[in-house]
Amino acid sequence: MAVASVPALTQDALAASAANMVGARNLSDMNSFLMLFTTQLQHQDPTNPMAAYEMAAQLAQFSTVEQLTRVNTQLQAQQNYLISINNAMGVQLLGKTVVAQDNRLQLKDGTVSRAGFNLDSAAQVKVTITDSAGKTVRTLTLASLEPGRHEFTWDGMDDQGKALPNGTYSFSVEATSASGETIPVQPLVTGEVCGFVMEQGVNYVVLDHNGGLRVPVSFITTIETPPKVDETAQEAAV
């Protein structure tokens, strides 16, 4: 009687199979691997059976795949735990004023979101505001400023004094020293956290109102709390 011969799995095939199984979220791929292995044993040529070292190699590969699957499950559990921690931290930010690295401005009904920058050293500063198309709409020339954090104000109008439409704008800061050297500048935005959103694994805080700027939590540099009111002084004032 003719017996069908199925060649032993090569090491390359086993490695490719293992790579596919690492990303599995359940045991289905591991069971498929075991089924393939047992099917190979059932259909091998009795006159040319699998050598002992080949069987040992495949069993070792199966054990490796099983361990990697467990590691993947544990990593997923840790990721879920970290997500829960981030969500809890986001809730604690509600109502607090934060400063974050960002270069966007939001104009809504004549009101502009707070923005500024951080200077490494004293410099003459120029702020350029652009619209969503990258067109310059306003240029602000500021006085010579000392090192540290500064805010600037924009009235929502262009260089011709025309009110601009609601939307998100960008700003860039050019700082020059007295000797004409360019000074590094870090653009910043400031706002009160009124919401917390998670999209595609990234946590964002929403500033000032529901439609406000969304800033990644990782961009926050400073968290400020409202100053405590002296109850004794308040009672005396009354």
Side-chain angles (χ1 to χ4, degrees):
M1 180 177 70
V3 178
S5 176
V6 178
L9 290 174
T10 64
Q11 292 299 318
D12 291 342
L14 287 171
S17 179
N20 290 333
M21 293 179 184
V22 170
R25 298 178 182 274
N26 50 52
L27 298 178
S28 61
D29 286 344
M30 191 167 61
N31 292 335
S32 299
F33 188 97
L34 180 60
M35 181 177 296
L36 178 63
F37 179 69
T38 55
T39 302
Q40 179 181 341
L41 292 177
Q42 292 174 0
H43 294 279
Q44 67 178 336
D45 187 350
T47 62
N48 183 27
M50 184 186 302
Y53 74 88
E54 292 176 329
M55 181 178 295
Q58 294 193 32
L59 287 174
Q61 187 68 50
F62 175 74
S63 177
T64 300
V65 171
E66 181 182 11
Q67 294 299 323
L68 290 175
T69 302
R70 291 180 179 178
V71 169
N72 182 71
T73 301
Q74 292 174 355
L75 290 176
Q76 183 64 45
Q78 292 180 3
Q79 182 181 9
N80 294 336
Y81 177 67
L82 292 175
I83 289 174
S84 66
I85 292 178
N86 289 336
N87 291 342
M89 292 178 61
V91 172
Q92 293 177 358
L93 290 174
L94 292 175
K96 295 183 179 179
T97 298
V98 298
V99 180
Q101 298 181 30
D102 206 316
N103 70 330
R104 293 175 298 156
L105 292 163
Q106 188 172 65
L107 173 60
K108 183 178 180 181
D109 300 332
T111 302
V112 182
S113 57
R114 294 170 60 186
F117 48 87
N118 192 68
L119 285 176
D120 288 346
S121 58
Q124 182 75 34
V125 178
K126 181 176 73 172
V127 178
T128 302
I129 300 172
T130 57
D131 59 18
S132 58
K135 178 184 176 182
T136 299
V137 295
R138 185 71 178 270
T139 302
L140 304 173
T141 301
L142 308 182
S144 182
L145 300 175
E146 296 299 318
R149 197 178 96 194
H150 302 275
E151 287 193 11
F152 65 88
T153 57
W154 175 43
D155 55 10
M157 297 186 180
D158 63 13
D159 287 326
Q160 286 71 43
K162 179 182 177 181
L164 294 170
N166 293 344
T168 301
Y169 296 79
S170 300
F171 70 93
S172 60
V173 183
E174 180 182 342
T176 308
S177 68
S179 60
E181 297 180 356
T182 300
I183 304 299
V185 183
Q186 182 184 68
L188 301 170
V189 296
T190 304
E192 181 180 340
V193 178
C194 70
F196 180 75
V197 179
M198 186 172 67
E199 291 182 352
Q200 298 181 351
V202 180
N203 296 326
Y204 298 87
V205 290
V206 183
L207 302 183
D208 298 327
H209 52 83
N210 291 336
L213 292 176
R214 290 188 179 185
V215 179
V217 173
S218 59
F219 287 10
I220 295 176
T221 60
T222 307
I223 302 173
E224 302 174 345
T225 55
K228 293 183 178 180
V229 178
D230 190 337
E231 295 182 358
T232 303
Q234 192 176 34
E235 290 177 358
V238 174

PDB file of all heavy atoms in Angstrom, residues 104-115 152-157 163-169 190 207-209 211-213:
ATOM      1  N   ARG A 104      -0.457  76.206  19.024  1.00  0.00           N
ATOM      2  CA  ARG A 104      -1.750  76.492  18.413  1.00  0.00           C
ATOM      3  C   ARG A 104      -2.530  77.515  19.230  1.00  0.00           C
ATOM      4  O   ARG A 104      -2.394  77.596  20.447  1.00  0.00           O
ATOM      5  CB  ARG A 104      -2.560  75.203  18.273  1.00  0.00           C
ATOM      6  CG  ARG A 104      -1.988  74.204  17.273  1.00  0.00           C
ATOM      7  CD  ARG A 104      -2.783  72.913  17.308  1.00  0.00           C
ATOM      8  NE  ARG A 104      -2.702  72.287  18.627  1.00  0.00           N
ATOM      9  CZ  ARG A 104      -3.610  71.434  19.113  1.00  0.00           C
ATOM     10  NH1 ARG A 104      -4.673  71.113  18.383  1.00  0.00           N
ATOM     11  NH2 ARG A 104      -3.455  70.900  20.307  1.00  0.00           N
ATOM     12  N   LEU A 105      -3.336  78.267  18.523  1.00  0.00           N
ATOM     13  CA  LEU A 105      -4.249  79.237  19.117  1.00  0.00           C
ATOM     14  C   LEU A 105      -5.652  78.930  18.640  1.00  0.00           C
ATOM     15  O   LEU A 105      -5.836  78.553  17.484  1.00  0.00           O
ATOM     16  CB  LEU A 105      -3.888  80.661  18.688  1.00  0.00           C
ATOM     17  CG  LEU A 105      -2.581  81.261  19.192  1.00  0.00           C
ATOM     18  CD1 LEU A 105      -2.208  82.458  18.339  1.00  0.00           C
ATOM     19  CD2 LEU A 105      -2.718  81.671  20.646  1.00  0.00           C
ATOM     20  N   GLN A 106      -6.617  79.105  19.511  1.00  0.00           N
ATOM     21  CA  GLN A 106      -7.994  78.924  19.078  1.00  0.00           C
ATOM     22  C   GLN A 106      -8.749  80.236  19.222  1.00  0.00           C
ATOM     23  O   GLN A 106      -8.766  80.852  20.293  1.00  0.00           O
ATOM     24  CB  GLN A 106      -8.706  77.835  19.868  1.00  0.00           C
ATOM     25  CG  GLN A 106     -10.086  77.524  19.286  1.00  0.00           C
ATOM     26  CD  GLN A 106     -10.709  76.326  19.946  1.00  0.00           C
ATOM     27  OE1 GLN A 106     -11.001  76.385  21.119  1.00  0.00           O
ATOM     28  NE2 GLN A 106     -10.921  75.267  19.201  1.00  0.00           N
ATOM     29  N   LEU A 107      -9.345  80.659  18.121  1.00  0.00           N
ATOM     30  CA  LEU A 107     -10.138  81.887  18.094  1.00  0.00           C
ATOM     31  C   LEU A 107     -11.612  81.519  18.051  1.00  0.00           C
ATOM     32  O   LEU A 107     -12.054  80.787  17.173  1.00  0.00           O
ATOM     33  CB  LEU A 107      -9.762  82.721  16.865  1.00  0.00           C
ATOM     34  CG  LEU A 107     -10.609  83.963  16.580  1.00  0.00           C
ATOM     35  CD1 LEU A 107     -10.547  84.938  17.735  1.00  0.00           C
ATOM     36  CD2 LEU A 107     -10.157  84.617  15.279  1.00  0.00           C
ATOM     37  N   LYS A 108     -12.371  82.008  19.024  1.00  0.00           N
ATOM     38  CA  LYS A 108     -13.799  81.726  19.072  1.00  0.00           C
ATOM     39  C   LYS A 108     -14.541  82.982  19.516  1.00  0.00           C
ATOM     40  O   LYS A 108     -14.364  83.449  20.654  1.00  0.00           O
ATOM     41  CB  LYS A 108     -14.106  80.567  20.025  1.00  0.00           C
ATOM     42  CG  LYS A 108     -15.581  80.189  20.063  1.00  0.00           C
ATOM     43  CD  LYS A 108     -15.830  79.009  20.993  1.00  0.00           C
ATOM     44  CE  LYS A 108     -17.310  78.648  21.000  1.00  0.00           C
ATOM     45  NZ  LYS A 108     -17.597  77.518  21.916  1.00  0.00           N
ATOM     46  N   ASP A 109     -15.343  83.525  18.608  1.00  0.00           N
ATOM     47  CA  ASP A 109     -16.173  84.694  18.903  1.00  0.00           C
ATOM     48  C   ASP A 109     -15.361  85.853  19.494  1.00  0.00           C
ATOM     49  O   ASP A 109     -15.752  86.496  20.469  1.00  0.00           O
ATOM     50  CB  ASP A 109     -17.301  84.308  19.863  1.00  0.00           C
ATOM     51  CG  ASP A 109     -18.207  83.225  19.279  1.00  0.00           C
ATOM     52  OD1 ASP A 109     -18.316  83.159  18.049  1.00  0.00           O
ATOM     53  OD2 ASP A 109     -18.777  82.450  20.066  1.00  0.00           O
ATOM     54  N   GLY A 110     -14.210  86.092  18.899  1.00  0.00           N
ATOM     55  CA  GLY A 110     -13.375  87.205  19.329  1.00  0.00           C
ATOM     56  C   GLY A 110     -12.479  86.923  20.509  1.00  0.00           C
ATOM     57  O   GLY A 110     -11.666  87.772  20.891  1.00  0.00           O
ATOM     58  N   THR A 111     -12.615  85.756  21.104  1.00  0.00           N
ATOM     59  CA  THR A 111     -11.776  85.377  22.247  1.00  0.00           C
ATOM     60  C   THR A 111     -10.690  84.413  21.789  1.00  0.00           C
ATOM     61  O   THR A 111     -10.979  83.436  21.100  1.00  0.00           O
ATOM     62  CB  THR A 111     -12.613  84.737  23.359  1.00  0.00           C
ATOM     63  OG1 THR A 111     -13.626  85.656  23.781  1.00  0.00           O
ATOM     64  CG2 THR A 111     -11.746  84.350  24.541  1.00  0.00           C
ATOM     65  N   VAL A 112      -9.462  84.685  22.195  1.00  0.00           N
ATOM     66  CA  VAL A 112      -8.326  83.863  21.780  1.00  0.00           C
ATOM     67  C   VAL A 112      -7.785  83.108  22.991  1.00  0.00           C
ATOM     68  O   VAL A 112      -7.669  83.660  24.100  1.00  0.00           O
ATOM     69  CB  VAL A 112      -7.208  84.738  21.174  1.00  0.00           C
ATOM     70  CG1 VAL A 112      -6.048  83.869  20.701  1.00  0.00           C
ATOM     71  CG2 VAL A 112      -7.756  85.565  20.015  1.00  0.00           C
ATOM     72  N   SER A 113      -7.460  81.852  22.792  1.00  0.00           N
ATOM     73  CA  SER A 113      -6.894  81.038  23.867  1.00  0.00           C
ATOM     74  C   SER A 113      -5.523  81.582  24.279  1.00  0.00           C
ATOM     75  O   SER A 113      -4.839  82.256  23.506  1.00  0.00           O
ATOM     76  CB  SER A 113      -6.770  79.578  23.418  1.00  0.00           C
ATOM     77  OG  SER A 113      -5.983  79.478  22.239  1.00  0.00           O
ATOM     78  N   ARG A 114      -5.130  81.268  25.498  1.00  0.00           N
ATOM     79  CA  ARG A 114      -3.873  81.778  26.039  1.00  0.00           C
ATOM     80  C   ARG A 114      -2.671  81.049  25.420  1.00  0.00           C
ATOM     81  O   ARG A 114      -2.698  79.831  25.240  1.00  0.00           O
ATOM     82  CB  ARG A 114      -3.848  81.608  27.557  1.00  0.00           C
ATOM     83  CG  ARG A 114      -4.878  82.454  28.280  1.00  0.00           C
ATOM     84  CD  ARG A 114      -4.964  82.057  29.751  1.00  0.00           C
ATOM     85  NE  ARG A 114      -3.683  82.241  30.426  1.00  0.00           N
ATOM     86  CZ  ARG A 114      -3.452  81.852  31.686  1.00  0.00           C
ATOM     87  NH1 ARG A 114      -4.417  81.242  32.368  1.00  0.00           N
ATOM     88  NH2 ARG A 114      -2.273  82.045  32.242  1.00  0.00           N
ATOM     89  N   ALA A 115      -1.649  81.819  25.112  1.00  0.00           N
ATOM     90  CA  ALA A 115      -0.444  81.235  24.521  1.00  0.00           C
ATOM     91  C   ALA A 115       0.764  82.054  24.930  1.00  0.00           C
ATOM     92  O   ALA A 115       0.651  83.215  25.340  1.00  0.00           O
ATOM     93  CB  ALA A 115      -0.559  81.165  23.001  1.00  0.00           C
ATOM     94  N   PHE A 152       1.652  86.254  25.399  1.00  0.00           N
ATOM     95  CA  PHE A 152       1.343  87.375  24.527  1.00  0.00           C
ATOM     96  C   PHE A 152      -0.167  87.384  24.265  1.00  0.00           C
ATOM     97  O   PHE A 152      -0.847  86.369  24.415  1.00  0.00           O
ATOM     98  CB  PHE A 152       2.122  87.292  23.204  1.00  0.00           C
ATOM     99  CG  PHE A 152       1.761  86.102  22.340  1.00  0.00           C
ATOM    100  CD1 PHE A 152       0.715  86.172  21.418  1.00  0.00           C
ATOM    101  CD2 PHE A 152       2.460  84.910  22.456  1.00  0.00           C
ATOM    102  CE1 PHE A 152       0.377  85.091  20.628  1.00  0.00           C
ATOM    103  CE2 PHE A 152       2.127  83.818  21.670  1.00  0.00           C
ATOM    104  CZ  PHE A 152       1.089  83.902  20.752  1.00  0.00           C
ATOM    105  N   THR A 153      -0.675  88.524  23.876  1.00  0.00           N
ATOM    106  CA  THR A 153      -2.108  88.649  23.600  1.00  0.00           C
ATOM    107  C   THR A 153      -2.328  88.954  22.126  1.00  0.00           C
ATOM    108  O   THR A 153      -1.557  89.688  21.500  1.00  0.00           O
ATOM    109  CB  THR A 153      -2.738  89.767  24.449  1.00  0.00           C
ATOM    110  OG1 THR A 153      -2.056  91.009  24.194  1.00  0.00           O
ATOM    111  CG2 THR A 153      -2.644  89.429  25.927  1.00  0.00           C
ATOM    112  N   TRP A 154      -3.373  88.386  21.590  1.00  0.00           N
ATOM    113  CA  TRP A 154      -3.784  88.622  20.202  1.00  0.00           C
ATOM    114  C   TRP A 154      -5.279  88.897  20.208  1.00  0.00           C
ATOM    115  O   TRP A 154      -6.058  88.166  20.845  1.00  0.00           O
ATOM    116  CB  TRP A 154      -3.438  87.405  19.341  1.00  0.00           C
ATOM    117  CG  TRP A 154      -3.926  87.497  17.928  1.00  0.00           C
ATOM    118  CD1 TRP A 154      -3.877  88.582  17.097  1.00  0.00           C
ATOM    119  CD2 TRP A 154      -4.560  86.454  17.182  1.00  0.00           C
ATOM    120  NE1 TRP A 154      -4.417  88.283  15.876  1.00  0.00           N
ATOM    121  CE2 TRP A 154      -4.853  86.974  15.896  1.00  0.00           C
ATOM    122  CE3 TRP A 154      -4.904  85.128  17.455  1.00  0.00           C
ATOM    123  CZ2 TRP A 154      -5.485  86.231  14.903  1.00  0.00           C
ATOM    124  CZ3 TRP A 154      -5.517  84.380  16.473  1.00  0.00           C
ATOM    125  CH2 TRP A 154      -5.803  84.922  15.197  1.00  0.00           C
ATOM    126  N   ASP A 155      -5.685  89.940  19.513  1.00  0.00           N
ATOM    127  CA  ASP A 155      -7.087  90.354  19.517  1.00  0.00           C
ATOM    128  C   ASP A 155      -7.947  89.643  18.480  1.00  0.00           C
ATOM    129  O   ASP A 155      -9.129  89.966  18.309  1.00  0.00           O
ATOM    130  CB  ASP A 155      -7.194  91.866  19.320  1.00  0.00           C
ATOM    131  CG  ASP A 155      -6.485  92.339  18.052  1.00  0.00           C
ATOM    132  OD1 ASP A 155      -6.078  91.481  17.246  1.00  0.00           O
ATOM    133  OD2 ASP A 155      -6.334  93.566  17.888  1.00  0.00           O
ATOM    134  N   GLY A 156      -7.366  88.690  17.757  1.00  0.00           N
ATOM    135  CA  GLY A 156      -8.153  87.954  16.765  1.00  0.00           C
ATOM    136  C   GLY A 156      -8.307  88.681  15.450  1.00  0.00           C
ATOM    137  O   GLY A 156      -9.119  88.271  14.601  1.00  0.00           O
ATOM    138  N   MET A 157      -7.513  89.734  15.233  1.00  0.00           N
ATOM    139  CA  MET A 157      -7.593  90.481  13.978  1.00  0.00           C
ATOM    140  C   MET A 157      -6.317  90.315  13.172  1.00  0.00           C
ATOM    141  O   MET A 157      -5.260  89.971  13.711  1.00  0.00           O
ATOM    142  CB  MET A 157      -7.838  91.966  14.270  1.00  0.00           C
ATOM    143  CG  MET A 157      -9.162  92.242  14.957  1.00  0.00           C
ATOM    144  SD  MET A 157      -9.484  94.018  15.120  1.00  0.00           S
ATOM    145  CE  MET A 157     -11.088  93.988  15.937  1.00  0.00           C
ATOM    146  N   ALA A 163     -11.402  91.520  11.563  1.00  0.00           N
ATOM    147  CA  ALA A 163     -11.657  90.375  12.438  1.00  0.00           C
ATOM    148  C   ALA A 163     -11.601  89.082  11.636  1.00  0.00           C
ATOM    149  O   ALA A 163     -12.179  88.977  10.556  1.00  0.00           O
ATOM    150  CB  ALA A 163     -13.015  90.527  13.115  1.00  0.00           C
ATOM    151  N   LEU A 164     -10.906  88.115  12.183  1.00  0.00           N
ATOM    152  CA  LEU A 164     -10.739  86.827  11.509  1.00  0.00           C
ATOM    153  C   LEU A 164     -11.796  85.836  11.972  1.00  0.00           C
ATOM    154  O   LEU A 164     -12.339  85.958  13.077  1.00  0.00           O
ATOM    155  CB  LEU A 164      -9.341  86.277  11.780  1.00  0.00           C
ATOM    156  CG  LEU A 164      -8.196  87.088  11.167  1.00  0.00           C
ATOM    157  CD1 LEU A 164      -6.853  86.613  11.693  1.00  0.00           C
ATOM    158  CD2 LEU A 164      -8.238  86.981   9.648  1.00  0.00           C
ATOM    159  N   PRO A 165     -12.109  84.830  11.140  1.00  0.00           N
ATOM    160  CA  PRO A 165     -13.142  83.851  11.510  1.00  0.00           C
ATOM    161  C   PRO A 165     -12.679  82.902  12.607  1.00  0.00           C
ATOM    162  O   PRO A 165     -11.478  82.741  12.851  1.00  0.00           O
ATOM    163  CB  PRO A 165     -13.384  83.093  10.197  1.00  0.00           C
ATOM    164  CG  PRO A 165     -12.106  83.233   9.437  1.00  0.00           C
ATOM    165  CD  PRO A 165     -11.580  84.596   9.781  1.00  0.00           C
ATOM    166  N   ASN A 166     -13.647  82.309  13.261  1.00  0.00           N
ATOM    167  CA  ASN A 166     -13.330  81.311  14.275  1.00  0.00           C
ATOM    168  C   ASN A 166     -12.512  80.181  13.669  1.00  0.00           C
ATOM    169  O   ASN A 166     -12.673  79.831  12.497  1.00  0.00           O
ATOM    170  CB  ASN A 166     -14.609  80.736  14.882  1.00  0.00           C
ATOM    171  CG  ASN A 166     -15.371  81.763  15.691  1.00  0.00           C
ATOM    172  OD1 ASN A 166     -14.843  82.807  16.055  1.00  0.00           O
ATOM    173  ND2 ASN A 166     -16.635  81.469  15.975  1.00  0.00           N
ATOM    174  N   GLY A 167     -11.662  79.604  14.478  1.00  0.00           N
ATOM    175  CA  GLY A 167     -10.875  78.472  13.994  1.00  0.00           C
ATOM    176  C   GLY A 167      -9.590  78.319  14.795  1.00  0.00           C
ATOM    177  O   GLY A 167      -9.341  79.026  15.775  1.00  0.00           O
ATOM    178  N   THR A 168      -8.781  77.363  14.351  1.00  0.00           N
ATOM    179  CA  THR A 168      -7.501  77.090  14.996  1.00  0.00           C
ATOM    180  C   THR A 168      -6.379  77.698  14.164  1.00  0.00           C
ATOM    181  O   THR A 168      -6.291  77.467  12.958  1.00  0.00           O
ATOM    182  CB  THR A 168      -7.282  75.575  15.161  1.00  0.00           C
ATOM    183  OG1 THR A 168      -8.336  75.018  15.951  1.00  0.00           O
ATOM    184  CG2 THR A 168      -5.953  75.293  15.844  1.00  0.00           C
ATOM    185  N   TYR A 169      -5.540  78.466  14.814  1.00  0.00           N
ATOM    186  CA  TYR A 169      -4.413  79.127  14.172  1.00  0.00           C
ATOM    187  C   TYR A 169      -3.114  78.617  14.811  1.00  0.00           C
ATOM    188  O   TYR A 169      -3.128  78.013  15.891  1.00  0.00           O
ATOM    189  CB  TYR A 169      -4.520  80.645  14.320  1.00  0.00           C
ATOM    190  CG  TYR A 169      -5.722  81.233  13.613  1.00  0.00           C
ATOM    191  CD1 TYR A 169      -6.998  81.156  14.175  1.00  0.00           C
ATOM    192  CD2 TYR A 169      -5.595  81.862  12.381  1.00  0.00           C
ATOM    193  CE1 TYR A 169      -8.110  81.688  13.526  1.00  0.00           C
ATOM    194  CE2 TYR A 169      -6.694  82.397  11.718  1.00  0.00           C
ATOM    195  CZ  TYR A 169      -7.951  82.305  12.297  1.00  0.00           C
ATOM    196  OH  TYR A 169      -9.046  82.821  11.638  1.00  0.00           O
ATOM    197  N   THR A 190      -1.647  77.685  27.405  1.00  0.00           N
ATOM    198  CA  THR A 190      -2.138  77.617  28.777  1.00  0.00           C
ATOM    199  C   THR A 190      -3.657  77.569  28.761  1.00  0.00           C
ATOM    200  O   THR A 190      -4.295  78.237  27.943  1.00  0.00           O
ATOM    201  CB  THR A 190      -1.667  78.838  29.590  1.00  0.00           C
ATOM    202  OG1 THR A 190      -0.247  78.925  29.543  1.00  0.00           O
ATOM    203  CG2 THR A 190      -2.109  78.720  31.042  1.00  0.00           C
ATOM    204  N   LEU A 207      -8.919  71.973  26.668  1.00  0.00           N
ATOM    205  CA  LEU A 207      -8.706  73.217  27.401  1.00  0.00           C
ATOM    206  C   LEU A 207      -9.859  74.204  27.234  1.00  0.00           C
ATOM    207  O   LEU A 207     -10.376  74.372  26.117  1.00  0.00           O
ATOM    208  CB  LEU A 207      -7.401  73.883  26.940  1.00  0.00           C
ATOM    209  CG  LEU A 207      -6.124  73.053  27.075  1.00  0.00           C
ATOM    210  CD1 LEU A 207      -4.911  73.875  26.650  1.00  0.00           C
ATOM    211  CD2 LEU A 207      -5.944  72.526  28.492  1.00  0.00           C
ATOM    212  N   ASP A 208     -10.243  74.826  28.328  1.00  0.00           N
ATOM    213  CA  ASP A 208     -11.144  75.977  28.401  1.00  0.00           C
ATOM    214  C   ASP A 208     -12.620  75.668  28.153  1.00  0.00           C
ATOM    215  O   ASP A 208     -13.473  76.140  28.883  1.00  0.00           O
ATOM    216  CB  ASP A 208     -10.687  77.088  27.448  1.00  0.00           C
ATOM    217  CG  ASP A 208      -9.299  77.603  27.811  1.00  0.00           C
ATOM    218  OD1 ASP A 208      -8.971  77.627  29.005  1.00  0.00           O
ATOM    219  OD2 ASP A 208      -8.540  77.968  26.885  1.00  0.00           O
ATOM    220  N   HIS A 209     -12.958  74.906  27.121  1.00  0.00           N
ATOM    221  CA  HIS A 209     -14.354  74.557  26.857  1.00  0.00           C
ATOM    222  C   HIS A 209     -14.396  73.280  26.033  1.00  0.00           C
ATOM    223  O   HIS A 209     -13.356  72.793  25.566  1.00  0.00           O
ATOM    224  CB  HIS A 209     -15.090  75.697  26.146  1.00  0.00           C
ATOM    225  CG  HIS A 209     -14.395  76.196  24.913  1.00  0.00           C
ATOM    226  ND1 HIS A 209     -14.514  75.577  23.682  1.00  0.00           N
ATOM    227  CD2 HIS A 209     -13.556  77.249  24.724  1.00  0.00           C
ATOM    228  CE1 HIS A 209     -13.784  76.229  22.791  1.00  0.00           C
ATOM    229  NE2 HIS A 209     -13.192  77.244  23.393  1.00  0.00           N
ATOM    230  N   GLY A 211     -15.157  72.536  23.075  1.00  0.00           N
ATOM    231  CA  GLY A 211     -14.571  72.579  21.746  1.00  0.00           C
ATOM    232  C   GLY A 211     -13.172  73.156  21.727  1.00  0.00           C
ATOM    233  O   GLY A 211     -12.673  73.554  20.670  1.00  0.00           O
ATOM    234  N   GLY A 212     -12.526  73.200  22.898  1.00  0.00           N
ATOM    235  CA  GLY A 212     -11.205  73.814  23.005  1.00  0.00           C
ATOM    236  C   GLY A 212     -10.095  72.951  22.445  1.00  0.00           C
ATOM    237  O   GLY A 212     -10.322  71.859  21.912  1.00  0.00           O
ATOM    238  N   LEU A 213      -8.889  73.472  22.567  1.00  0.00           N
ATOM    239  CA  LEU A 213      -7.722  72.742  22.067  1.00  0.00           C
ATOM    240  C   LEU A 213      -7.582  71.402  22.780  1.00  0.00           C
ATOM    241  O   LEU A 213      -7.752  71.313  23.998  1.00  0.00           O
ATOM    242  CB  LEU A 213      -6.449  73.568  22.281  1.00  0.00           C
ATOM    243  CG  LEU A 213      -6.288  74.843  21.467  1.00  0.00           C
ATOM    244  CD1 LEU A 213      -5.009  75.568  21.894  1.00  0.00           C
ATOM    245  CD2 LEU A 213      -6.241  74.538  19.968  1.00  0.00           C
TER     246      LEU A 213
END
